[in-house]
Amino acid sequence: MDKSVEKTLTHWLKQQKSACGHYLNLAILFGILTGISLMCQAWLIATILQGIIIDQLPKAAFSEHFWLLLLLTFLRGALAFARERSSFKAGTQLRLQIRAAVMDKLAALGPAFIKGKPAGSWASIVLEQVEDLHDFYARYLPQMVLAGFIPLIILMAVFPINWAAGVILLATAPLIPLFMILVGMGAADANRKNFGALARLSGHFMDRLKGLSTLKLFNQGAKEAKAIAAASEDFRERTMSVLRMAFLSSAVLEFFAAVSIAVLAVYFGFSYLGHLDFGHYGSSISLFTGLFILILAPEFYQPLRDMGTHYHAKAQAIGAAEELMALLNTDLDTHLKHGAVEHSDAAALAAPISIEADNLTVFSVDGTQLLGPISFTLTPGQHIAVVGPSGAGKTSLLSALLGFLPYQGQLKINGVELSQLPLPLWRKQLAWLGQEPQLFCGTVRENVALGALAQGQALTDDAIKALLVKAQVWDFVDSQPLGLNHPIQEQTLGLSVGQAQRIALARALAQQAQFYVLDEPTASLDSLSEQAVQATLTDAMQHTGCLMVTHRLDSLTTMHKVLVLDKGLLVQQGSFAQLAATDGVFKQMLHELTVEPNVAEVVGGMTQTLPANAPKGAC
């Protein structure tokens, strides 16, 4: 990984530590107190052994020392527990905040941005990569501070009693972080590549799993199984590469710590044998001095070794942070930044909805122009259909209207620019129904009540039943053993497309919206289900406006106006009869459409345009 990139990611990770709250500081404090208690234990052990072995004092003279030593043993255990607990809470607080920030960011960026990656990749970011930040804050950051404090405290205790031992400790201490850096130089890059492989594997597997029936029908199951096996093998190799880094790092650190302690032991051994006579301050080296320093020596290197052990947590966090930082630092387009709630805005949206677009140009999240410039108006109560070939920009228009895509030009709702309206307030006025209904894992009751919850209301069971009756799906729900508690599984498993669409329709009706936004609401339905949905929409939208995208031209005779898009431009607009009688894209689409004979008769028999304020049928 480029050093500048690694430095940027490390800086970003450290900026997030405020999310850990006071737990991070508590973990450091408990770690320092643990080190001090261990020094006290070393002093007590050395004092007892010096007195009993060299000074030949009775054991009773050290009874208080024994009790203090026992007390410190329990105290060290309590401090170690408190440190681990505080570290865990610090990591937990951080994960909760980062995960909430990621979810809020995805909600703000909207579905148009999310569709840029497979669902499995987002799952990897939200779950795996956030989870892998834990040890960086719970272990590495506290240990980095302790690796500086505890050796310094030990040196302050060692130098006054033996300067040679202090010099040995001071000279050998840099070996551990030096070799830790050398071994760990490639760890961050290996982790970054590992997370990339995991995201690809997750996305690849999720997409193939959702399209399993298609793969089976085209006899591509074996081929895709090999592709998944190859992606899995790539991920395995990268994971093993990361583990090799971690084990090599630990082995190197243990080796140099052992060598350093051995040098210190050799110094004291030769000093006791009389071959070395330096390092003391006038008097010979006592048993107390040797024991005290040798007991402290492993603890002098232990924080450095622990930092090396946890260094892979830093590398892991850097690898995980790359996509997280990119996501959280993604700027919302100025046209996606909506205003705050004002009384004038609320009053404007309380009136029947009108829409005015003037030189409206819609862009993708990466700045590619998708639609426009186009201009049109929709008066209160008016029903407008948007038609055109695939890729003409129909869905882009709806996405801009819903606040999911940035735009330039004017898009006014009741005279107020959409970018100045608070999105939650605007969306409360809308009922949305698409061609692929999204029902959530739960019960029928919970899914239908979701529409009312958006309005801050609660629905009774009788009200939910009435909505399901309107959507012509109550018979199905009532026939289930659990009724309204009938479980809806993930991906609407166990429901037909028509049943799922009608439950979604009941949810939309629960909003009691002033305006309906429909995206091919009957595209995937059989004729009976289509008629049921059309009839319900006809009744629900008698006094509301509607903007609908559709490919079914045979249902446009009830629309007040039809907008025809082609290659991102508005090429025609008018009533069904006017467009059917005029050469252009719409008439060409009619000719290409295989219609029933009675539809052709309707086209030929229409002689007047519907008035804009006339109540019409379903979109």
Side-chain angles (χ1 to χ4, degrees):
M1 179 185 290
D2 185 81
K3 286 297 177 184
S4 61
V5 176
E6 183 176 352
K7 185 177 180 181
T8 301
L9 293 174
T10 304
H11 178 68
W12 181 83
L13 285 169
K14 290 181 179 179
Q15 283 181 325
Q16 313 308 311
K17 68 180 181 181
S18 59
C20 299
H22 62 278
Y23 293 109
L24 192 61
N25 294 328
L26 282 176
I28 295 171
L29 175 62
F30 289 133
I32 293 174
L33 291 177
T34 301
I36 293 174
S37 66
L38 185 135
M39 290 177 59
C40 294
Q41 280 185 307
W43 182 85
L44 287 170
I45 293 172
T47 301
I48 292 171
L49 294 177
Q50 170 73 25
I52 294 175
I53 297 174
I54 303 302
D55 299 334
Q56 295 185 346
L57 296 174
K59 296 178 182 178
F62 299 98
S63 58
E64 292 183 359
H65 293 73
F66 281 112
W67 283 111
L68 282 174
L69 187 61
L70 182 63
L71 178 63
L72 282 172
T73 301
F74 287 107
L75 180 61
R76 271 192 69 193
L79 288 172
F81 173 80
R83 177 192 167 187
E84 288 295 321
R85 188 67 180 170
S86 299
S87 298
F88 180 79
K89 291 291 290 183
T92 301
Q93 291 283 102
L94 183 282
R95 285 183 288 128
L96 287 173
Q97 183 158 321
I98 292 292
R99 189 167 281 127
V102 168
M103 297 304 292
D104 289 343
K105 192 71 173 184
L106 290 177
L109 291 170
F113 179 85
I114 293 173
K115 287 181 180 179
K117 284 186 178 182
S121 296
W122 292 120
S124 174
I125 292 173
V126 174
L127 299 176
E128 298 287 342
Q129 297 191 26
V130 173
E131 201 69 24
D132 283 320
L133 297 180
H134 177 89
D135 281 351
F136 178 79
Y137 297 92
R139 306 218 178 257
Y140 180 76
L141 282 184
Q143 194 59 46
M144 192 166 61
V145 177
L146 295 176
F149 269 100
I150 292 180
L152 182 62
I153 294 172
I154 291 176
L155 285 175
M156 292 172 62
V158 169
F159 264 108
I161 61 176
N162 190 287
W163 62 264
V167 169
I168 292 173
L169 291 175
L170 187 62
T172 56
L175 291 175
I176 292 178
L178 174 63
F179 282 93
M180 178 185 70
I181 293 171
L182 292 175
V183 172
M185 285 179 65
D189 190 46
N191 271 282
R192 182 177 61 86
K193 293 178 180 178
N194 188 49
F195 279 116
L198 176 60
R200 288 193 299 273
L201 177 60
S202 299
H204 188 92
F205 181 73
M206 180 72 75
D207 287 346
R208 270 55 182 181
L209 192 63
K210 291 172 68 176
L212 186 58
S213 57
T214 303
L215 294 174
K216 287 290 186 183
L217 290 172
F218 285 91
N219 296 317
Q220 295 297 306
K223 178 181 177 182
E224 289 301 327
K226 291 179 180 179
I228 292 175
S232 301
E233 179 63 19
D234 178 53
F235 178 63
R236 185 194 68 80
E237 290 178 355
R238 295 185 187 281
T239 301
M240 295 308 297
S241 174
V242 173
L243 291 176
R244 278 195 299 271
M245 292 278 187
F247 285 122
L248 178 61
S249 175
S250 298
V252 169
L253 298 183
E254 291 293 334
F255 172 77
F256 282 101
V259 169
S260 301
I261 295 172
V263 170
L264 197 60
V266 167
Y267 162 73
F268 280 111
F270 278 97
S271 295
Y272 288 135
L273 292 173
H275 299 299
L276 295 177
D277 188 25
F278 64 89
H280 52 79
Y281 296 97
S283 59
S284 59
I285 298 174
S286 65
L287 178 64
F288 169 84
T289 302
L291 285 175
F292 179 66
I293 294 176
L294 285 174
I295 291 172
L296 289 182
E299 302 304 325
F300 176 83
Y301 297 107
Q302 189 61 44
L304 298 172
R305 291 156 65 190
D306 288 342
M307 187 175 70
T309 302
H310 300 319
Y311 186 79
H312 76 278
K314 176 189 176 183
Q316 192 174 41
I318 289 175
E322 186 172 26
E323 289 192 72
L324 286 170
M325 186 183 75
L327 173 62
L328 293 176
N329 290 344
T330 301
D331 289 329
L332 292 173
D333 190 276
T334 54
H335 297 291
L336 289 177
K337 295 178 180 177
H338 288 250
V341 177
E342 297 182 2
H343 293 297
S344 59
D345 296 335
L349 290 178
I353 300 298
S354 66
I355 299 174
E356 180 183 354
D358 184 21
N359 288 319
L360 173 67
T361 305
V362 181
F363 298 90
S364 66
V365 290
D366 61 1
T368 303
Q369 183 172 327
L370 302 174
L371 172 70
I374 65 171
S375 301
F376 67 91
T377 58
L378 185 151
T379 57
Q382 193 174 31
H383 295 172
I384 292 184
V386 183
V387 301
S390 297
K394 304 184 293 297
T395 301
S396 299
L397 175 60
L398 294 192
S399 295
L401 185 62
L402 295 170
F404 294 139
L405 285 178
Y407 69 88
Q408 291 180 359
Q410 291 185 346
L411 183 57
K412 293 185 176 181
I413 311 297
N414 289 359
V416 180
E417 191 63 45
L418 176 61
S419 59
Q420 303 302 316
L421 289 173
L423 275 179
L425 183 62
W426 163 233
R427 288 171 180 163
K428 280 185 178 181
Q429 318 306 316
L430 304 177
W432 161 261
L433 190 62
Q435 57 182 309
E436 297 179 356
Q438 177 63 59
L439 300 182
F440 297 94
C441 187
T443 65
V444 172
R445 176 190 287 107
E446 291 168 343
N447 273 275
V448 175
L450 187 65
L453 290 175
Q455 304 293 338
Q457 303 172 357
L459 289 180
T460 64
D461 284 358
D462 289 339
I464 292 175
K465 177 182 176 181
L467 291 169
L468 292 170
V469 170
K470 278 187 177 181
Q472 301 189 36
V473 72
W474 170 247
D475 289 343
F476 163 75
V477 176
D478 190 40
S479 66
Q480 304 304 310
L482 297 177
L484 292 177
N485 290 320
H486 177 67
I488 295 177
Q489 302 177 45
E490 293 182 8
Q491 304 296 325
T492 65
L493 189 65
L495 296 177
S496 69
V497 176
Q499 291 164 347
Q501 187 77 325
R502 280 178 278 181
I503 292 174
L505 175 58
R507 180 177 61 192
L509 296 176
Q511 292 182 248
Q512 299 179 352
Q514 297 193 62
F515 193 79
Y516 280 75
V517 180
L518 309 174
D519 185 7
E520 300 278 7
T522 62
S524 302
L525 302 181
D526 58 76
S527 58
L528 291 178
S529 297
E530 178 185 2
Q531 292 172 12
V533 172
Q534 289 278 19
T536 302
L537 287 172
T538 297
D539 180 63
M541 297 189 305
Q542 288 184 4
H543 306 291
T544 64
C546 162
L547 184 66
M548 179 187 72
V549 166
T550 184
H551 281 96
R552 298 202 170 182
L553 305 185
D554 53 343
S555 63
L556 300 184
T557 56
T558 58
M559 305 302 294
H560 295 116
K561 186 189 293 186
V562 178
L563 305 180
V564 184
L565 299 180
D566 187 28
K567 297 179 182 179
L569 297 175
L570 179 60
V571 294
Q572 288 179 290
Q573 60 179 310
S575 68
F576 181 91
Q578 291 172 337
L579 295 177
T582 306
D583 290 337
V585 175
F586 187 80
K587 191 171 184 179
Q588 183 180 354
M589 291 173 63
L590 277 178
H591 283 299
E592 292 175 354
L593 179 68
T594 303
V595 296
E596 298 178 1
N598 61 339
V599 175
E601 293 174 6
V602 172
V603 174
M606 295 191 65
T607 56
Q608 59 182 9
T609 304
L610 295 170
N613 58 354
K616 295 297 172 185
C619 295

